[in-house]
Amino acid sequence: MKNKFLYILVSAALILGCDKALDITPDGRLTLDDVFQDENHTEAYLNTVYSSIPSYSYYYHFFTFLAGVTDECQDADVGNTPGNIANIWITGSMTPSFNPLENGPAGHGKNHYNTFWTGIRNANVFLANIETANISAEKDRERYKAEAQLLRAFYYLELIKQYGPMPIVDEPFSPAFDYTSLTRPTFQECIDFIVNDCDEAIANPNLPIRITLEPERGRFSKAVAHAVKSQALLYNASPLWNPENNTAKWQAAATASKEALDALTQGGEYQLFPDYEEYFFSRSDVNPSPRDRETIFERMTNGHPSFRNTNALPSMPGQFKVGVTPTQELVDSYDMVATGEPAILGYNDEDHLEPIINTESGYDPDNPYEGRDPRFYATVWYNGALYDNIAGRIHVVETFAGGADALKKTPPNKKNTHTGYYLRKFHDPKLQNRQKAQSRWKKYHLAEIYLNYAEAENEANGPTTEAYNAINAIRQRAGMPNLRTGLSQDEFRQRIRNERRVELVIEEHRFWDVRRWKILDQTDKLVTGMEVIKNGNDFDYKRFVTERRNAWQDKFLIFPIPIKDTSIIPDFNLNQNPGW
């Protein structure tokens, strides 16, 4: 075993500095030989592999969700805080030397390119040494190995979702390694590598299907392997990476997601949490018989605070920032509960000011918030919504002009909504302002796998009974009617895409979904809001464009490879991502 190891592709500076290869671990005291001859230090090094999992959530900037640069939300810091990521993103300012999502302070692992390569490097170092490590129980060695393989697969998937195919590295580099020899594989080859790591983890009898001991909270399980594999194959089959629409890729994705559902739901091991709204207010209970059987992996805080009622309403005492505020496009995506049909079918104009109302749905434009999907009420505070426990009283949300929570158009500020709505999801209304919640960021949960399966099955075989059953399981949990039968494949595709939008809202899926579907030019040119005017006891509703954006061109489907690495690796320079 070699004592020396290198950071790979973390940055050009580290590559150039490879003559000073590290022969100590990050704590500055032990050599790798020392680490892997001590069981406690070996397990500690595995914790180092875990440490590259980003915080996600609102850590991209100061209480900023990624949703603020999608058509789900507008960030209220736009127009107020120049360094806010959304303020920079919407101008189309991304370049190979500048990523707006990495701007500003805070956020563990916010620089994803470096973070994910660091995680891959640490996983490779661990895997290169675990076979000869001094481990007393062979079952522990095998479990550690499975976790490291799965972490490597996770980091690779997160990396290639953002930057496209990356060199496949499965062992630590020697100090004399020639980085100019690295080449880019195909996206398929990267997916094959990820799937192989997942399959080996799934086949490992020492990796549990779920975590049941509190001291092991935050460790990966077989369920995570199924989730990573399901998502990887779905992305591989999607239009961005499957332009020829190879049905075999969709079938592979459908098969993997079906196998995941069968393995996870067998014996009730995993199941959808009964209450959609409540699910996001607490962290999973880690024990052999948990109440929460939906969560597959939730992000621990890594020293950061948990969710707090920070991005709430300006009427709350001391409130200074409302964060991301839901768009009218998001509100329009919620079906009617009585009929199960879409309220809005699209728009007659490019500015989304003339909605196409589904007259068969039961939607009333004069009472736009009545009778909607229960997930709407769990996600959005709107004019007339009830917000609990403010100074010991129930607060009626007033976004109408002159109301306590009114929309502020001129000039905008960070204390009031820019769209006419406030974000409710993740923020328990029964908690006082700034009171800490117990909730954690749910990176993977069972609902996603149902949705993955429904989408892939429809693309591979049409809207089969199995595809219907998967999407209807999600709708039934939410209190929504089953989808109307007899839909065509195209119609079912639109319904499943919308179902993903409302079920996984603000969970960072929308940002990547519109890219893998190649519909960025349809979703990200602008967002709208709703201005409400009170006339006696009635309200008038007027749509308006609240933000126009310039990050919707095809080049924004995949991020540019950072310029530091294109200057070091010739193949990166020759094969930079399209448009950059």
Side-chain angles (χ1 to χ4, degrees):
M1 180 184 70
K2 296 179 180 178
N3 288 342
K4 299 183 178 182
F5 60 93
L6 293 173
Y7 286 93
I8 164 183
L9 298 176
V10 175
S11 71
L14 288 180
I15 293 174
L16 288 170
C18 65
D19 59 317
K20 296 182 179 180
L22 300 176
D23 61 1
I24 56 175
T25 58
D27 65 9
R29 293 172 294 177
L30 300 175
T31 68
L32 283 176
D33 285 323
D34 294 331
V35 168
F36 289 101
Q37 288 307 306
D38 182 282
E39 190 161 359
N40 290 331
H41 291 322
T42 298
E43 189 169 1
Y45 197 95
L46 182 58
N47 290 336
T48 298
V49 185
Y50 273 100
S51 69
S52 290
I53 300 176
S55 295
Y56 301 107
S57 185
Y58 51 51
Y59 295 112
Y60 286 86
H61 191 254
F62 185 61
F63 299 114
T64 295
F65 287 93
L66 187 62
V69 296
T70 73
D71 64 347
E72 295 176 312
C73 293
Q74 181 185 357
D75 198 309
D77 269 1
V78 171
N80 297 294
T81 306
N84 174 266
I85 64 168
N87 221 1
I88 303 171
W89 179 269
I90 63 174
T91 66
S93 298
M94 185 164 63
T95 69
S97 58
F98 176 65
N99 180 353
L101 300 186
E102 299 171 359
N103 195 58
H108 169 73
K110 186 174 60 177
N111 184 327
H112 285 179
Y113 187 83
N114 289 1
T115 297
F116 296 143
W117 272 121
T118 298
I120 292 167
R121 190 274 305 174
N122 285 332
N124 284 336
V125 170
F126 187 87
L127 290 168
N129 289 277
I130 188 61
E131 297 292 354
T132 57
N134 184 20
I135 305 293
S136 57
E138 195 61 28
K139 63 180 179 62
D140 290 338
R141 184 194 313 276
E142 289 302 307
R143 180 176 177 181
Y144 297 162
K145 178 181 177 182
E147 289 181 53
Q149 284 182 293
L150 186 48
L151 282 159
R152 181 171 65 183
F154 167 80
Y155 292 133
Y156 258 112
L157 177 57
E158 294 293 278
L159 184 67
I160 68 174
K161 279 163 57 175
Q162 189 164 347
Y163 295 99
M166 288 282 115
I168 296 172
V169 182
D170 61 359
E171 60 183 20
F173 284 141
S174 69
F177 183 81
D178 179 10
Y179 292 94
T180 65
S181 67
L182 289 173
T183 58
R184 299 190 78 180
T186 64
F187 195 82
Q188 180 68 60
E189 288 171 324
C190 290
I191 294 297
D192 291 342
F193 182 71
I194 291 167
V195 168
N196 183 70
D197 270 350
C198 290
D199 283 342
E200 292 194 14
I202 291 169
N204 191 313
N206 298 291
L207 187 66
I209 190 71
R210 71 157 56 250
I211 303 302
T212 59
L213 300 175
E214 183 61 37
E216 296 184 356
R217 179 186 289 275
R219 292 178 69 173
F220 275 10
S221 64
K222 272 186 170 65
V224 176
H226 280 294
V228 172
K229 180 180 177 180
S230 171
Q231 188 181 107
L233 288 169
L234 182 74
Y235 275 65
N236 189 49
S238 298
L240 180 60
W241 301 111
N242 184 20
E244 69 281 5
N245 197 28
N246 183 347
T247 305
K249 291 187 177 185
W250 285 112
Q251 187 60 60
T255 299
S257 293
K258 182 61 164 60
E259 289 175 350
L261 290 173
D262 290 345
L264 298 185
T265 60
Q266 183 177 12
E269 188 70 49
Y270 284 84
Q271 54 191 257
L272 295 174
F273 192 83
D275 188 308
Y276 175 85
E277 179 182 35
E278 183 186 349
Y279 177 59
F280 297 99
F281 291 162
S282 62
R283 67 176 181 172
S284 60
D285 44 332
V286 177
N287 59 67
S289 299
R291 180 169 179 259
D292 171 12
R293 293 182 176 271
E294 178 168 353
T295 300
I296 292 172
F297 180 76
E298 62 183 6
R299 179 68 175 93
M300 297 180 70
T301 57
N302 198 51
H304 293 288
S306 60
F307 283 113
R308 298 178 294 183
N309 270 21
T310 303
N311 302 9
L313 292 178
S315 55
M316 296 177 68
Q319 185 62 37
F320 68 98
K321 176 184 171 74
V322 300
V324 293
T325 58
T327 63
Q328 187 60 45
E329 285 78 9
L330 175 61
V331 172
D332 287 345
S333 67
Y334 288 94
D335 293 347
M336 302 301 294
V337 68
T339 62
E341 293 298 312
I344 305 299
L345 299 175
Y347 307 96
N348 284 316
D349 65 318
E350 293 185 357
D351 282 351
H352 300 178
L353 302 180
E354 301 174 15
I356 303 172
I357 296 173
N358 183 0
T359 57
E360 298 180 357
S361 69
Y363 174 76
D364 179 2
D366 293 326
N367 296 285
Y369 310 129
E370 291 187 8
R372 306 299 288 272
D373 183 328
R375 288 170 291 189
F376 167 68
Y377 304 107
T379 303
V380 179
W381 274 303
Y382 54 93
N383 187 61
L386 300 181
Y387 184 94
D388 293 352
N389 202 13
I390 297 179
R393 64 183 177 86
I394 301 297
H395 175 72
V396 179
V397 177
E398 298 179 345
T399 63
F400 60 82
D405 316 303
L407 164 76
K408 297 292 186 182
K409 294 175 65 176
T410 309
N413 63 51
K414 66 175 68 176
K415 295 183 179 182
N416 292 72
T417 174
H418 288 205
T419 61
Y421 304 102
Y422 294 89
L423 176 64
R424 177 170 184 168
K425 187 172 181 176
F426 306 122
H427 302 293
D428 187 345
K430 292 182 173 57
L431 293 178
Q432 294 284 357
N433 185 32
R434 298 190 172 280
Q435 184 178 355
K436 288 187 178 181
Q438 293 298 311
S439 53
R440 299 290 186 269
W441 183 260
K442 302 180 191 308
K443 176 62 176 173
Y444 297 116
H445 55 105
L446 188 63
E448 180 194 346
I449 299 181
Y450 275 108
L451 293 166
N452 292 352
Y453 178 54
E455 179 180 349
E457 174 68 11
N458 179 60
E459 298 297 341
N461 304 302
T464 62
T465 299
E466 290 77 12
Y468 266 97
N469 288 343
I471 193 171
N472 286 337
I474 297 294
R475 290 172 67 85
Q476 289 165 11
R477 186 266 292 274
M480 287 295 291
N482 290 343
L483 282 185
R484 174 170 51 87
T485 58
L487 296 174
S488 68
Q489 185 181 48
D490 289 344
E491 290 171 331
F492 194 92
R493 179 184 301 118
Q494 294 309 311
R495 297 306 299 272
I496 186 60
R497 288 184 178 185
N498 193 73
E499 197 69 24
R500 285 184 71 90
R501 180 173 195 172
V502 300
E503 176 70 21
L504 303 176
V505 62
I506 323 293
E507 296 179 46
E508 298 195 9
H509 289 276
R510 183 69 175 174
F511 185 89
W512 305 111
D513 280 345
V514 299
R515 284 167 168 75
R516 67 181 178 88
W517 293 329
K518 296 188 70 174
I519 61 170
L520 190 65
D521 60 340
Q522 303 171 38
T523 61
D524 278 50
K525 288 184 177 180
L526 57 86
V527 291
T528 61
M530 182 72 82
E531 186 174 9
V532 184
I533 306 297
K534 188 173 184 179
N535 288 322
N537 294 325
D538 299 322
F539 296 97
D540 295 329
Y541 300 92
K542 181 181 180 181
R543 295 166 182 258
F544 68 99
V545 175
T546 180
E547 186 173 275
R548 297 187 186 275
R549 297 171 173 177
N550 191 32
W552 53 265
Q553 298 86 352
D554 279 354
K555 71 176 185 177
F556 289 97
L557 295 172
I558 313 171
F559 283 43
I561 300 171
I563 196 168
K564 291 181 180 179
D565 277 359
T566 60
S567 65
I568 295 297
I569 302 169
D571 197 44
F572 277 8
N573 188 47
L574 292 172
N575 294 293
Q576 173 63 279
N577 290 327
W580 301 107

